[in-house]
Amino acid sequence: QGGRMNSADDSKVTGIYSVRVILWKRDLVAMLGVGLRTLERMIACGEIPTPDRRLRGRPVWLTETIHGWVANGCPGFRRPA
């Protein structure tokens, strides 16, 4: 009623939701269902797309990069025997 809305109220009114645009290693581990060491091996062997950027000295991937890689059947990924 005439008062200023706070940011939490704004998101409810406009329907804006948080969408993750970048993925850290921990996100890929959870998304792909592998361990951190396995992910690091995949990165070193080129089995996963190269990171799109580095933030705070750490590699990050754009969500669209990983989704595109998965949609194309994970090219380069070798399944363990």
Side-chain angles (χ1 to χ4, degrees):
Q1 306 157 337
R4 175 142 165 71
M5 289 186 192
N6 65 30
S7 61
D9 292 334
D10 290 343
S11 67
K12 290 177 186 174
V13 171
T14 61
I16 297 172
Y17 296 97
S18 173
V19 176
R20 187 172 295 267
V21 176
I22 62 168
L23 300 169
W24 300 89
K25 282 183 182 180
R26 69 176 175 263
D27 301 317
L28 292 181
V29 163
M31 181 186 261
L32 300 174
V34 298
L36 180 60
R37 185 66 196 113
T38 298
L39 177 67
E40 289 173 344
R41 182 193 53 78
M42 291 170 67
I43 294 167
C45 294
E47 295 181 2
I48 193 167
T50 56
D52 292 296
R53 292 182 176 64
R54 292 187 79 76
L55 296 177
R56 295 181 280 196
R58 298 184 304 175
V60 295
W61 292 259
L62 296 175
T63 303
E64 63 191 35
T65 299
I66 298 302
H67 285 182
W69 176 71
V70 171
N72 285 322
C74 306
F77 177 63
R78 296 178 310 210
R79 298 218 180 267

